[in-house]
Amino acid sequence: MTSADTRTRCDGADCRKKTAGPAELAAPRLRLCPGCLHLFTQRLRQLPGLYAELEEVLSAGPRTEGRERTTGGPVPSGLPFNAAAADVRADIIATLGSWGGLVVTQRGVPAPERTVRALAGLLMRHAGWLAAHPAAADATREVARLERAAHRVARRETLRRVSVGDCVAPGCTGRLVTVVRGGGADSGAGIQCDADPSHAWPGRLWTELRRALRGGQDSGQEAGQEGGNPRRSAG
């Protein structure tokens, strides 16, 4: 293969034309075909939204629209911590930060804030320059990997808060809710009262709580033999 042939072949990680021969590049100086350049910018555009979705997965709570956190705060009491979501979020920041650093250093542009939205915006603005860079193949591959990983974790861990019933704590008028993850309840999330967070039951006490919800006095005493009476533990 000649050097001229090499320059006409798309370096994009997802270029479907590679098996059929050299792809037509978006421009003579670029290393990406139009399709791969479009995919690259499209994935960059999606990453801020995916990053926000992963925050919802991470905290198992409703996402605050228009807000993006780059540092983790305390996980809400009684709710699960999703390590996979945390890892992907950290990877997104680190990878975009690395490519952003390349752009800033070699192009002499101001460094953006270290947020996904700002870093992705910087890379989109300089997508044409990156498409002509010798590292274009690595850039498209790493951004594709981030997008796939974020989709995989966010979609698999789609969260819903489902009402279980009235709170069984004496005198409480709240409702008991649990987190449903994908197709079923996550026993690690526990059940919590929406009026008083101290009224909470971990997965190991779900059987006892179910008996208490049925309202049977005898079953309530039975629950107290293993792990404590739910009404009493809720106080």
Side-chain angles (χ1 to χ4, degrees):
M1 180 180 293
T2 66
S3 59
D5 290 334
T6 302
R7 286 195 300 272
T8 60
R9 183 179 295 277
C10 175
D11 287 344
D14 294 301
C15 186
R16 297 179 180 178
K17 298 180 181 179
K18 284 187 175 181
T19 56
E24 182 180 350
L25 301 180
R29 65 182 181 82
L30 300 186
R31 296 169 179 264
L32 302 179
C33 68
C36 284
L37 181 55
H38 173 73
L39 271 176
F40 180 60
T41 55
Q42 185 180 51
R43 283 167 171 154
L44 286 170
R45 188 173 293 111
Q46 290 177 355
L47 283 177
L50 288 169
Y51 186 83
E53 286 187 46
L54 290 170
E55 180 176 10
E56 181 177 342
V57 173
L58 181 67
S59 63
R63 183 172 73 238
T64 302
E65 296 296 336
R67 181 171 60 89
E68 178 178 290
R69 292 193 314 191
T70 58
T71 58
V75 179
S77 175
L79 298 179
F81 178 83
N82 189 293
D87 288 344
V88 175
R89 277 167 57 90
D91 195 13
I92 290 174
I93 281 286
T95 302
L96 294 187
S98 177
W99 287 105
L102 176 72
V103 172
V104 168
T105 300
Q106 296 194 9
R107 304 221 75 188
V109 297
E113 295 181 5
R114 194 171 175 81
T115 67
V116 173
R117 190 169 302 280
L119 290 167
L122 172 72
L123 297 180
M124 282 189 288
R125 290 192 298 273
H126 295 274
W129 179 82
L130 284 166
H133 197 277
D138 292 334
T140 60
R141 183 179 64 254
E142 291 187 12
V143 169
R145 174 181 57 79
L146 292 176
E147 188 248 4
R148 285 193 296 266
H151 268 297
R152 183 171 61 250
V153 174
R155 300 299 180 261
R156 184 184 66 216
E157 302 292 352
T158 301
L159 302 173
R160 290 186 298 126
R161 294 181 69 82
V162 175
S163 176
V164 174
D166 293 332
C167 183
V168 299
C172 184
T173 59
R175 296 283 295 176
L176 297 176
V177 295
T178 188
V179 174
V180 172
R181 207 178 277 280
D186 177 5
S187 61
I191 292 176
Q192 191 172 45
C193 176
D194 61 5
D196 188 338
S198 69
H199 300 165
W201 289 265
R204 62 184 174 82
L205 293 180
W206 278 12
T207 300
E208 290 79 6
L209 176 60
R210 188 179 298 112
R211 292 175 184 146
L213 285 168
R214 289 172 181 166
Q217 182 177 359
D218 291 340
S219 61
Q221 294 173 351
E222 200 174 320
Q225 296 174 5
E226 181 183 352
N229 189 308
R231 294 177 183 267
R232 194 169 297 165
S233 65

